[in-house]
Amino acid sequence: MAEQTAKTPLFDAHVASGGKMVDFFGFSLPVSYPTGILKEHRAVREVCGMFDVSHMGEVAISGPGALACVQKLITNDAAKLGDGRALYTVMCNEAGGIIDDCIVYRRAADHYLVVVNAATREKDLAWIRDHANRIAGVTVTDESEATALIAVQGPRAVAILSALTASDLAAVPRFAFITADIAGIACMAARTGYTGEDGFELSCAAASAPALWAAIAKAGQKSGLIPAGLGARDTLRLEARLHLYGQDMDEATTPYEAGLGWVVKLDAKDFCGKAALIAQKAAGPARKLVGFRMQGRGIARPGYAIVDRALSPPGDVIGRVTSGTTGPTVGGAIGLGYVPTPRASPGDSLTIDCRGKDVSAVIVRGPFYKAPQ
């Protein structure tokens, strides 16, 4: 018997708003609302949008050995975090392959929260528990089912949420969080997100999520806040050049290949995959993830071949597109893909095989879009 698609605590709210529901890694989530992906994308860039991201996994690691456990699991250095601070990182296997990317939040010196991707929730939890069992004084608690997560993103996000709380949200730095009552609901309000815009991700008890969602929608209505779905979330994150696990990286990909070497702290401590990453850094990765803009007419979709027609078949395929779409804000087709390191410099030309049609592209440095300061 096929497994039933899981519903987030906000499922009824999405259906009531006309959300087009799809199966996303076992969860029923809206890909868009009647407003459409383009309007949802623009609302986040220009005003504010809110997303249901309750499908994400939340794993608490606590006890006297909590920091030692976190340090072993991640490539970044959690020892530099103070209470109320967070960092982006990856977890690697012993070969240096990326098990998942995640955000680690320090609740206290002996209490950390790791937010992981929906697609890898069960795998990540098993990996974390396996390593926690090897360290004395560690308790691992899966908080996923009890927790809802709402992302409020855009230039007006802080102002809209501030009208619902006595807490000073504007004073919270990026990658920091506070405990706050928002619309009378206890939340962990983290200044993080996946859109390239300012905003907060609000964790609350699952049962409180519908009331919080409704309160935010009402508070933001006059400003132009609208709910947004998976479609806009994907175009927004790609414009900001934020990776999607399972497409832009996986266990066959290392942080150095994926352009995430900045989250690898080789000198800070020991961690899973360190020896393999030391060796790869010394030799240099054979391939790299690059961002590119299409020069000709065509959209590079995940899986499309990156080719060099001067080579003899079957050697003409030099890489693959991992993410690709039309960027509504940047005005053109953009994408990510892996190519050999000698072909990975900004300004280098690529050829994408778009369903049998060769379309030119050029490699660009950095994000395609960066929010105004």
Side-chain angles (χ1 to χ4, degrees):
M1 181 179 294
E3 292 187 9
Q4 186 176 2
T5 303
K7 297 177 181 179
T8 75
L10 294 167
F11 175 84
D12 290 342
H14 301 318
V15 172
S17 298
K20 183 180 179 181
M21 309 304 287
V22 298
D23 186 333
F24 184 74
F25 295 112
F27 288 84
S28 185
L29 289 167
V31 68
S32 63
Y33 295 88
T35 43
I37 293 173
L38 183 59
K39 287 185 178 179
E40 292 165 24
H41 177 108
R42 287 176 174 166
V44 175
R45 287 279 182 255
E46 297 169 8
V47 185
C48 189
M50 62 179 183
F51 303 82
D52 177 12
V53 285
S54 303
H55 57 295
M56 302 292 281
E58 291 87 9
V59 182
I61 302 175
S62 60
L67 178 59
C69 181
V70 171
Q71 291 287 70
K72 183 66 176 179
L73 289 165
I74 68 171
T75 62
N76 210 331
D77 184 13
K80 67 184 181 183
L81 292 177
D83 291 354
R85 294 287 176 158
L87 56 73
Y88 175 76
T89 187
V90 296
M91 297 189 292
C92 288
N93 58 31
E94 291 299 345
I98 300 172
I99 289 176
D100 198 9
D101 66 328
C102 52
I103 297 181
V104 175
Y105 301 83
R106 174 168 149 158
R107 290 169 163 171
D110 60 352
H111 196 176
Y112 294 81
L113 178 69
V114 184
V115 176
V116 301
N117 284 295
T120 53
R121 272 173 58 169
E122 296 304 319
K123 178 185 75 170
D124 291 354
L125 183 60
W127 181 259
I128 291 168
R129 282 178 168 158
D130 179 58
H131 285 81
N133 289 337
R134 307 176 196 181
I135 299 172
V138 180
T139 300
V140 175
T141 307
D142 182 7
E143 300 181 353
S144 305
E145 295 303 318
T147 305
L149 186 59
I150 298 172
V152 185
Q153 302 281 291
R156 295 281 298 161
V158 176
I160 290 168
L161 291 176
S162 293
L164 294 171
T165 182
S167 298
D168 188 0
L169 296 181
V172 180
R174 284 282 294 162
F175 272 79
F177 65 96
I178 62 172
T179 299
D181 283 348
I182 298 178
I185 296 167
C187 297
M188 186 183 101
R191 206 160 189 173
T192 52
Y194 191 56
T195 63
E197 297 294 339
D198 193 12
F200 279 84
E201 293 179 308
L202 307 175
S203 300
C204 69
S208 301
L212 181 60
W213 180 269
I216 296 168
K218 183 178 180 180
Q221 188 173 17
K222 289 184 179 180
S223 297
L225 175 148
I226 59 174
L230 295 169
R233 187 168 166 82
D234 193 53
T235 56
L236 289 159
R237 70 92 190 168
L238 184 53
E239 284 191 336
R241 198 168 171 171
L242 300 174
H243 296 45
L244 176 61
Y245 190 85
Q247 286 189 197
D248 305 312
M249 55 189 170
D250 54 29
E251 289 197 49
T253 308
T254 72
Y256 292 125
E257 293 171 335
L260 296 175
W262 61 276
V263 304
V264 179
K265 310 302 182 186
L266 294 174
D267 297 332
K269 39 81 179 193
D270 188 30
F271 58 83
C272 295
K274 180 176 180 177
L277 293 178
I278 289 173
Q280 186 176 75
K281 184 179 182 181
R287 62 173 186 158
K288 289 184 178 180
L289 185 68
V290 298
F292 57 83
R293 286 179 175 267
M294 302 295 282
Q295 301 298 99
R297 291 177 61 86
I299 300 174
R301 300 297 187 187
Y304 282 9
I306 304 172
V307 301
D308 183 346
R309 296 305 187 195
L311 300 176
S312 298
D316 59 343
V317 176
I318 63 169
R320 293 281 174 183
V321 175
T322 58
S323 290
T325 189
T326 298
T329 310
V330 301
I334 55 177
L336 302 174
Y338 283 92
V339 297
T341 298
R343 311 287 291 269
S345 299
D348 284 355
S349 296
L350 299 176
T351 300
I352 315 294
D353 184 346
C354 296
R355 295 190 297 181
K357 176 186 175 183
D358 285 355
V359 181
S360 61
V362 64
I363 296 175
V364 297
R365 187 190 305 276
F368 304 101
Y369 165 86
K370 191 172 183 179
Q373 297 298 314

